[in-house]
Amino acid sequence: SYPELAPVLYNDVKVCSKCGKPCAFTLSVCNSCGTSLQDVPITKSENVFSAFLLGVAKASKGFPYTISLRGLSSDVLITDDLLALSPIHLNAIPKQYYIPDWRFLLTSPEDALSLLDTMESELWQVTLNFLQDKKLRESIFKPDVTDAEIRETVICSFNFPPSQFQLHIQWIVPPLMPFQHLMAEQRNHFHEGRAFPMSYVRKILALKQPYKVTKDTPVDEIVDHYELLGVSYKKEWQAFYESALYSTMRLQNWSTEDFQYVVRDGKAYEFTIVGDDIVPNATPTDVDPKSLQEKDKAALQNYGRPYSNGKPSGKYIPSPLEPKIGKGGFGEWPGVFKSQ
């Protein structure tokens, strides 16, 4: 019905055969459950974030497009991430524009910096709402951790290619959940060449040199261009990755009393504590580690809380965009629709 919206409504993805997550088409392993994507073909998926902004009631598969809503202004929509890597894992989406991915910010650097300022400010305000919850804070963070340290260590980035082609900031407040921290240590999260730290994006935008982008512009070409201008992606990514791992260990307040099993070499063991060491029992249990991961995630995530009848709750935005390009619908960000 709306052919001009086709680029807005669909993504190119690999859909995980195990958990069903639409993953970026460059990934070789699902970054939710760890299943191989080597033989998974690239297909189309519905753009969930566009659906949120348009107030679409249901996906073609029948499930509702309700939102675990944490913040909404005239400029920004903030949601919990359904596939959370940490208890406070948010996505911020610009409400006024369709911007497929972070590359298109380069077409208008000053406007982009202003937009990012607004998005990060609203994300931090939502984060402070969580931090004011005494029970949540004491269960997640060490007692000496300050708001300032939490703000400084937020894992803040963009992915390219994204799993959803509508610009969104990945805002992950450490600590990572235990399984997700392991995935990060194994370099199955925050991939070099796919994760673009906010620090990097801001530094190249601060040069205030517009760069022409189309949907086919190779990201390596962009990286090489700004390397010549003095901004090193590799250095920014390395610092970002090391901070993501360090900050989990520095901030986390997990207690062994909260866990029944430890997973080693793909098997779940009951364990005892000897001094400061976790000592697995000699014989593994028959418990499925993947089912443990899902139970941990459900217990630790904030997605859909407060629950309704034991299940995540959600809502629709009260004033969705009109299904069009232009006033009342998706605003035209410089260079986007000319590139489609």
Side-chain angles (χ1 to χ4, degrees):
S1 302
Y2 305 99
E4 73 278 13
L5 288 180
V8 178
L9 300 177
Y10 297 98
N11 312 295
D12 291 327
V13 296
K14 288 184 176 181
V15 178
C16 177
S17 60
K18 177 75 174 181
C19 70
K21 180 184 185 291
C23 299
F25 57 76
T26 55
L27 293 183
S28 58
V29 174
C30 174
N31 57 353
S32 177
C33 71
T35 300
S36 173
L37 300 173
Q38 291 285 6
D39 298 321
V40 176
I42 297 174
T43 54
K44 295 286 187 184
S45 73
E46 294 174 3
N47 190 323
V48 172
F49 293 152
S50 291
F52 289 169
L53 294 172
L54 290 166
V56 176
K58 289 185 178 180
S60 60
K61 294 182 179 179
F63 57 83
Y65 272 138
T66 50
I67 309 167
S68 185
L69 185 64
R70 295 300 173 188
L72 182 64
S73 69
S74 59
D75 297 305
V76 186
L77 168 66
I78 298 176
T79 73
D80 291 312
D81 194 303
L82 173 61
L83 301 167
L85 305 191
S86 79
I88 307 174
H89 181 170
L90 305 169
N91 294 310
I93 306 156
K95 192 166 174 281
Q96 299 287 351
Y97 302 100
Y98 173 64
I99 306 172
D101 57 77
W102 78 265
R103 298 172 304 159
F104 285 89
L105 295 175
L106 300 173
T107 64
S108 187
E110 293 191 47
D111 289 334
L113 286 168
S114 177
L115 176 61
L116 295 181
D117 287 345
T118 299
M119 294 173 75
E120 286 200 79
S121 175
E122 295 191 26
L123 279 162
W124 179 238
Q125 288 304 311
V126 170
T127 303
L128 287 173
N129 293 339
F130 282 110
L131 298 182
Q132 289 166 6
D133 183 323
K134 188 172 185 288
K135 183 178 179 182
L136 179 145
R137 183 158 186 152
E138 290 178 349
S139 66
I140 296 175
F141 300 102
K142 288 186 172 76
D144 64 336
V145 172
T146 64
D147 287 359
E149 185 174 7
I150 293 169
R151 176 64 186 90
E152 186 179 341
T153 56
V154 170
I155 303 166
C156 186
S157 64
F158 302 96
N159 288 333
F160 184 81
S163 54
Q164 301 295 322
F165 279 84
Q166 164 64 324
L167 182 77
H168 55 285
I169 295 175
Q170 288 280 349
W171 180 273
I172 305 170
V173 179
L176 299 174
M177 297 178 195
F179 173 76
Q180 304 300 349
H181 183 77
L182 174 65
M183 289 276 282
E185 285 187 332
Q186 295 173 338
R187 299 207 171 196
N188 285 321
H189 289 316
F190 317 129
H191 306 77
E192 184 175 5
R194 182 173 183 240
F196 288 84
M198 179 64 77
S199 62
Y200 173 74
V201 173
R202 281 186 170 276
K203 283 182 179 180
I204 62 177
L205 290 172
L207 297 173
K208 297 183 180 177
Q209 295 193 21
Y211 190 92
K212 184 179 179 181
V213 174
T214 73
K215 67 176 183 178
D216 298 319
T217 300
V219 76
D220 289 345
E221 176 186 299
I222 293 171
V223 168
D224 290 345
H225 174 77
Y226 288 101
E227 178 83 29
L228 293 174
L229 296 176
V231 184
S232 169
Y233 168 75
K234 191 170 187 66
K235 287 181 181 178
E236 291 294 326
W237 178 84
Q238 190 65 40
F240 161 82
Y241 178 70
E242 290 175 1
S243 174
L245 296 183
Y246 169 79
S247 60
T248 284
M249 304 309 294
R250 159 68 188 116
L251 272 61
Q252 61 85 17
N253 200 33
W254 307 130
S255 170
T256 53
E257 296 177 0
D258 296 330
F259 297 90
Q260 187 175 354
Y261 303 97
V262 62
V263 176
R264 297 282 172 86
D265 299 322
K267 297 184 182 298
Y269 295 81
E270 293 184 328
F271 62 90
T272 55
I273 303 299
V274 179
D276 293 330
D277 297 325
I278 296 173
V279 181
N281 292 356
T283 305
T285 69
D286 58 1
V287 175
D288 178 16
K290 289 190 182 298
S291 70
L292 288 178
Q293 176 215 338
E294 286 301 314
K295 288 178 181 177
D296 282 354
K297 176 176 173 292
L300 293 170
Q301 72 180 6
N302 277 294
Y303 180 87
R305 296 186 189 276
Y307 284 2
S308 175
N309 298 320
K311 295 182 179 180
S313 63
K315 58 185 69 174
Y316 299 98
I317 62 173
S319 301
L321 299 180
E322 297 175 34
K324 66 179 185 178
I325 309 301
K327 187 176 180 180
F330 288 97
E332 295 194 53
W333 186 263
V336 169
F337 289 102
K338 291 179 182 178
S339 76
Q340 302 301 318

